[in-house]
Amino acid sequence: MSKFFSLLKASMSEGMNVFRVYGKKQSKLVRISLPIVLAIIIMVSVAGYADMMMEPLAEVGMEFVVLTLYIIMAALFILVEGIYKASGLLFNCRDDDLMLSLPVKKSTVLTIRVLKFYLFEVMINAIVFIPAMVVYAMRVGVGPSFYLVSLTALLILPILPIVIASLVGGIIAFSSAQFKHKNIAQIILTTLLLLVLLFVSINIKDILQTLAQNAKSVNEIITKLYYPAGQYIHLVLDFKFVDYLIFILTNVGLFTLMLLTLGSVYYKINSRVKIVKTDTALRSYTLKYNRPLMALFKKEIGRFVSSPVFLINAGFGLVLYVVVVILVCVNMDGTLDMFSKMGAEIPVEAIINYMPACLFGLIFFTSMMTSITSSMISLEGKSFNILKSLPTNPVTIIMAKVLAAVAVMIPILLVGDIVMFVRFDFDIWQILMIVCSSIIMPLVSEVVGIVINLKYPKMNAQDDTEVVKQSMSSMVAVFVGFGSSIMMIYIIYNTFNNGLSASGTVGAGLLFGVAALVLLLIYLWRRGIKDFNSINV
Amino acid sequence: MIKISDVTKKYGDKKALDKVSFEVGNGEIFAFIGHNGAGKTTLIKAIVGIHDFDEGEILINGKSITKEPVACKKEMAYVPDNPELYENMRAIQFINFICDMYEVDLIRREKNIKKYAEMFEITANLNDTIDSFSHGMKQKVALIAALAHDPKIVIMDEPFVGLDPKAVFDMKELMREMTKAGKTIFFSTHILDVAEKLCTKVAIIKKGKIVKVGSMKEIKGDKSLEKVFLELEK
């Protein structure tokens, strides 16, 4: 048993270094306190939203709906994250050779990997679910059974999303391994799945309504949609020890079933995923001369498209941008109706009159949330030394990364712009400013990304998922992107309310973008190069 | 020519390199030996401009690696101890990429790639992605990429690790051939027999300090290099 826990501890410690900045000494206090402080900030924000939602629900005596919503929110988050994580934590693991050479059973190795996966997801569940529990307990008088059931639920509710995520992750890994170009297959399969999930999320209200027509109560709807959540709500409202036991046994049973089923096929999938199909026949090759900047640019593009997780993570926002633009153009009323389904109330006339500013906001949001460069230094990993040994100035290397990232973004943004120009009335100045924004904003976002990544590199990641989804740099980039987007949307909303013209708003936004870009480039020139040189792999 | 003068590199309070000084002349094959953690890779990374250092100077054909890094790097080739190459690339793409960075014209790169790929018997695999390669195959790709731009100075960290016997033999012959043409070869190794037979000069590093440096004859006298090294390590 001690061997099992030693392995689990070693395995967990590998994934717990999200906040450790590579090559920089951090005190134990900082390493421990940073994630705790961050978790507390998120939990307080989540609790604030839960409290806001509690008000109207209390009037109709349905406070428990808050718990339901937060359970579903956590489950969806775990599901989407889990599909990404399954590829790195369960399949195609880099420590296969080490783990499988140790004198432990194969089933033990699998159990440790599943447990690691499970414990990470329990942490995510806790961050979302505990605030809702606390708010519910403060608002509604609860007995000891609530705490017992809720703490049990904290451990049990991630099981079903994990089972589904593992299953889907396994299917994606196995199916894509059948193809020669398995990365492309993986990208297509994952994108399709995420689009389905998005469609379900947007139409959740309709789905619930359809379910409601066939169900007698809200609890029955929940039970149909997500059985463990229904069990939990049932126990919160009416605790019975037998039901509590059933709650535990069904979910633990599900987990055991998953382990047994996965155990029988896991190593077959895993070995197939690792097969690299090569062309054994001798083929001629052609050599082409490129200038250093172009060679580096091509290398970055090649790296980007060869990594499914990197491509999907960065590309999904851009695909959504195009989808939103096309939806707005093709079916304006329907799109606004879709937004109102998601809780936003937008007057149609105002939107049309203020379209240039809205499009600018959308470009800004898409650019800032698509930080490709925030992973690009970390993804070099140990091969970073190749770059440092090349006879090239670090500025060229950094700029090649920024240019590769914007080369992915700008054409997509411009396609969206053209569609909007055709559909709505933009004057020539507005067209010029929007086109400039579609060039400047991605540059701003990607320079911000590279500055962050140079500050917080993670050069020893086990796989791309760890860099793209779980590194300090990618998290900081998301926070910066989200924060600045919220600020920009707030500013646009206020200028609209204060009667500033759409052109004036776009012009001011563009000027802000240019100023930010100049300042960032000066910073990158002065500090970024030093940061680049100080990364020792 | 490589001139290393009083180079010191610290990691916190610990000195990884302590006032290291020696010269490697043109046409020399120079072996750099020492036990694990002695500072071999640290010095090699400092020479090729990957790591900075706290004190001293490194001159590559008279130019300072800290003041003119790009000019120095153009004259050198570096083969790392662990070939961490771009796994997503095909071997030929990687070699071509390195040639682009050294601005090698197409005729020269085509000739050199063909020559070295045939020598290391890897021509048939040039179109395969690097992630399908064994350690030895990756090492061969790294070597071809390093040699394809006709460097004046070749710096190698454990170049023979992972290579098959024929490749080791060919590599040794190639090193001799290059030094006859006036090029400089500097490499670290733990294979003392190879160093003894191949090299004209040797430096032994211990805990960041050079304990012996000179021609092979001066260093080993009548003894074997292995014996001299082990005596120094006591």
Side-chain angles (χ1 to χ4, degrees):
Chain A
M1 208 56 184
S2 64
K3 203 191 278 180
F4 180 87
F5 283 113
S6 295
L7 275 172
L8 182 64
K9 196 179 156 194
S11 184
M12 287 297 292
S13 68
E14 197 184 75
M16 294 298 285
N17 54 1
V18 175
F19 295 93
R20 184 173 289 179
V21 180
Y22 186 85
K24 288 178 188 169
K25 275 195 174 177
Q26 282 173 298
S27 70
K28 205 174 177 181
L29 186 72
V30 172
R31 278 212 314 274
I32 295 170
S33 58
L34 199 63
I36 292 174
V37 169
L38 199 67
I40 289 172
I41 291 170
I42 296 170
M43 286 167 97
V44 169
S45 318
V46 172
Y49 280 115
D51 197 50
M52 263 162 50
M53 288 162 75
M54 200 61 100
E55 202 74 48
L57 287 168
E59 287 172 17
V60 285
M62 291 178 80
E63 292 95 334
F64 66 90
V65 174
V66 166
L67 294 173
T68 316
L69 288 173
Y70 274 75
I71 289 169
I72 289 176
M73 215 156 69
L76 274 173
F77 190 68
I78 290 170
L79 182 63
V80 175
E81 281 288 295
I83 292 165
Y84 275 117
K85 273 195 192 140
S87 69
L89 285 180
L90 291 182
F91 307 102
N92 207 10
C93 306
R94 284 206 179 176
D95 61 353
D96 261 357
D97 291 352
L98 173 68
M99 292 293 262
L100 296 176
S101 68
L102 295 174
V104 288
K105 284 181 187 170
K106 277 185 170 183
S107 55
T108 310
V109 174
L110 174 63
T111 310
I112 283 166
R113 284 178 180 168
V114 174
L115 263 179
K116 182 180 172 181
F117 189 14
Y118 167 75
L119 290 172
F120 276 131
E121 302 310 331
V122 167
M123 278 189 258
I124 291 177
N125 194 41
I127 287 174
V128 180
F129 188 50
I130 288 177
M133 265 169 55
V134 172
V135 169
Y136 182 81
M138 282 164 66
R139 285 268 190 168
V140 183
V142 291
S145 67
F146 172 79
Y147 294 105
L148 176 71
V149 173
S150 296
L151 288 175
T152 312
L154 198 65
L155 301 173
I156 272 179
L157 289 173
I159 289 175
L160 186 60
I162 285 174
V163 171
I164 298 170
S166 306
L167 193 72
V168 176
I171 290 169
I172 290 175
F174 185 78
S175 318
S176 56
Q178 311 297 312
F179 299 97
K180 188 180 151 203
H181 300 289
K182 61 181 175 185
N183 283 349
I184 297 170
Q186 198 176 343
I187 288 161
I188 293 169
L189 286 169
T190 316
T191 309
L192 279 175
L193 184 93
L194 291 176
L195 284 171
V196 168
L197 274 175
L198 187 80
F199 176 79
V200 171
S201 309
I202 288 171
N203 293 289
I204 193 81
K205 199 173 170 186
D206 286 345
I207 292 166
L208 284 173
Q209 274 171 355
T210 314
L211 279 170
Q213 286 165 5
N214 302 310
K216 285 179 183 168
S217 66
V218 173
N219 199 41
E220 276 182 56
I221 299 171
I222 298 159
T223 311
K224 276 187 181 179
L225 195 71
Y226 182 30
Y227 183 68
Q231 283 180 306
Y232 167 69
I233 297 294
H234 176 71
L235 282 166
V236 168
L237 298 175
D238 182 18
F239 180 81
K240 281 183 189 136
F241 192 71
V242 177
D243 291 345
Y244 176 65
L245 272 182
I246 293 170
F247 178 51
I248 295 173
L249 288 175
T250 48
N251 285 287
V252 171
L254 185 69
F255 199 50
T256 314
L257 192 69
M258 171 201 162
L259 271 177
L260 291 174
T261 315
L262 193 62
S264 62
V265 292
Y266 176 70
Y267 287 100
K268 278 181 195 164
I269 298 174
N270 212 24
S271 59
R272 198 172 277 267
V273 169
K274 281 184 178 291
I275 293 171
V276 180
K277 293 187 177 171
T278 57
D279 296 323
T280 46
L282 173 64
R283 285 189 291 143
S284 62
Y285 53 81
T286 46
L287 298 172
K288 212 178 158 192
Y289 178 84
N290 297 291
R291 291 233 162 254
L293 182 65
M294 180 52 80
L296 286 163
F297 173 84
K298 283 185 175 175
K299 168 193 134 357
E300 296 304 336
I301 294 285
R303 181 69 179 90
F304 180 66
V305 296
S306 70
S307 169
V309 64
F310 189 24
L311 202 148
I312 292 164
N313 198 57
F316 196 66
L318 294 168
V319 173
L320 273 184
Y321 169 78
V322 174
V323 170
V324 170
V325 164
I326 292 171
L327 279 176
V328 167
C329 291
V330 174
N331 185 6
M332 180 79 182
D333 295 340
T335 310
L336 291 178
D337 184 46
M338 183 186 82
F339 278 115
S340 64
K341 272 182 199 169
M342 293 163 79
E345 283 181 23
I346 310 159
V348 181
E349 278 304 310
I351 285 282
I352 290 172
N353 291 336
Y354 220 59
M355 192 52 83
C358 294
L359 181 58
F360 175 80
L362 189 60
I363 291 166
F364 187 89
F365 181 76
T366 309
S367 302
M368 295 311 289
M369 293 308 288
T370 310
S371 186
I372 298 171
T373 46
S374 63
S375 304
M376 277 182 154
I377 296 284
S378 303
L379 283 171
E380 292 285 341
K382 304 273 183 215
S383 57
F384 189 66
N385 279 342
I386 298 175
L387 284 185
K388 283 184 93 177
S389 71
L390 294 174
T392 313
N393 196 309
V395 175
T396 314
I397 295 167
I398 292 170
M399 285 327 287
K401 288 182 186 294
V402 173
L403 290 175
V406 296
V408 173
M409 293 168 72
I410 291 173
I412 298 173
L413 291 175
L414 289 178
V415 166
D417 294 351
I418 292 166
V419 173
M420 293 292 276
F421 297 154
V422 172
R423 171 67 176 81
F424 297 97
D425 288 332
F426 283 71
D427 64 37
I428 187 73
W429 287 110
Q430 287 170 341
I431 289 174
L432 272 175
M433 285 192 293
I434 288 293
V435 168
C436 288
S437 304
S438 297
I439 296 165
I440 298 292
M441 292 312 164
L443 275 168
V444 171
S445 165
E446 297 311 331
V447 175
V448 168
I450 205 93
V451 165
I452 292 171
N453 202 189
L454 285 167
K455 208 91 201 136
Y456 305 108
K458 188 183 183 76
M459 311 307 284
N460 53 350
Q462 292 294 306
D463 51 45
D464 290 0
T465 312
E466 208 178 313
V467 170
V468 175
K469 306 293 287 180
Q470 298 165 7
S471 67
M472 177 84 149
S473 175
S474 61
M475 284 188 199
V476 172
V478 167
F479 272 104
V480 170
F482 195 70
S484 56
S485 296
I486 295 290
M487 250 169 58
M488 184 54 82
I489 289 166
Y490 178 77
I491 290 167
I492 291 173
Y493 182 73
N494 274 290
T495 53
F496 168 69
N497 279 345
N498 291 324
L500 187 68
S501 70
S503 300
T505 307
V506 177
L510 185 58
L511 275 178
F512 162 78
V514 172
L517 183 61
V518 170
L519 290 174
L520 281 163
L521 286 174
I522 293 170
Y523 178 85
L524 189 63
W525 190 269
R526 288 191 178 164
R527 184 68 224 176
I529 310 300
K530 281 183 191 164
D531 288 338
F532 180 92
N533 287 327
S534 70
I535 299 171
N536 289 328
V537 180
Chain B
M1 182 185 181
I2 307 168
K3 189 176 179 190
I4 298 160
S5 314
D6 293 328
V7 169
T8 300
K9 166 88 181 167
K10 290 177 197 162
Y11 290 115
D13 295 334
K14 195 193 161 201
K15 281 184 179 173
L17 298 172
D18 190 0
K19 292 197 175 296
V20 172
S21 297
F22 59 83
E23 283 182 29
V24 188
N26 293 338
E28 283 180 352
I29 307 183
F30 195 108
F32 189 40
I33 58 179
H35 65 79
N36 295 331
K40 298 189 298 296
T41 300
T42 305
L43 182 65
I44 285 178
K45 285 182 174 174
I47 295 172
V48 297
I50 290 175
H51 282 185
D52 53 3
F53 42 92
D54 302 300
E55 289 165 32
E57 188 158 49
I58 296 174
L59 299 177
I60 307 294
N61 287 340
K63 292 172 205 137
S64 164
I65 187 72
T66 46
K67 288 172 190 152
E68 298 175 81
V70 175
C72 288
K73 287 173 186 177
K74 274 193 176 159
E75 312 223 342
M76 284 190 285
Y78 164 60
V79 181
D81 55 342
N82 200 2
E84 297 279 355
L85 312 177
Y86 299 124
E87 304 265 313
N88 61 301
M89 284 187 182
R90 292 173 186 274
I92 190 67
Q93 278 180 322
F94 177 77
I95 299 165
N96 197 49
F97 165 72
I98 298 292
C99 287
D100 282 338
M101 300 311 296
Y102 284 88
E103 299 177 87
V104 184
D105 64 72
L106 273 176
I107 297 168
R108 191 154 58 108
R109 80 172 68 173
E110 195 142 12
K111 190 187 109 201
N112 285 344
I113 292 171
K114 189 170 182 287
K115 176 183 158 188
Y116 295 122
E118 278 173 8
M119 190 181 104
F120 290 121
E121 296 177 328
I122 199 176
T123 312
N125 304 93
L126 285 179
N127 269 311
D128 293 338
T129 48
I130 293 171
D131 62 356
S132 67
F133 286 177
S134 64
H135 179 95
M137 292 275 276
K138 286 180 188 170
Q139 187 76 350
K140 287 177 179 179
V141 174
L143 281 166
I144 297 169
L147 301 172
H149 62 92
D150 290 325
K152 289 179 187 158
I153 298 168
V154 183
I155 316 276
M156 295 183 279
D157 199 353
E158 303 280 351
F160 302 111
V161 173
L163 291 182
D164 55 62
K166 187 187 173 298
V168 171
F169 177 79
D170 289 338
M171 188 65 207
K172 287 190 287 188
E173 288 301 302
L174 181 69
M175 285 160 88
R176 288 191 183 104
E177 213 177 277
M178 287 170 81
T179 48
K180 274 181 198 163
K183 294 182 177 181
T184 306
I185 312 274
F186 177 86
F187 71 99
S188 72
T189 187
H190 288 298
I191 312 170
L192 301 182
D193 285 349
V194 171
E196 190 172 345
K197 285 173 190 161
L198 190 67
C199 299
T200 47
K201 278 179 86 174
V202 64
I204 301 173
I205 187 167
K206 186 180 178 184
K207 292 179 183 167
K209 285 184 178 172
I210 298 293
V211 287
K212 275 216 168 190
V213 61
S215 72
M216 191 60 78
K217 271 187 187 171
E218 285 168 5
I219 297 292
K220 72 183 190 78
D222 297 332
K223 298 174 190 169
S224 69
L225 182 62
E226 189 177 32
K227 197 161 189 185
V228 173
F229 177 73
L230 292 174
E231 279 172 4
L232 282 170
E233 284 301 304
K234 277 176 190 169

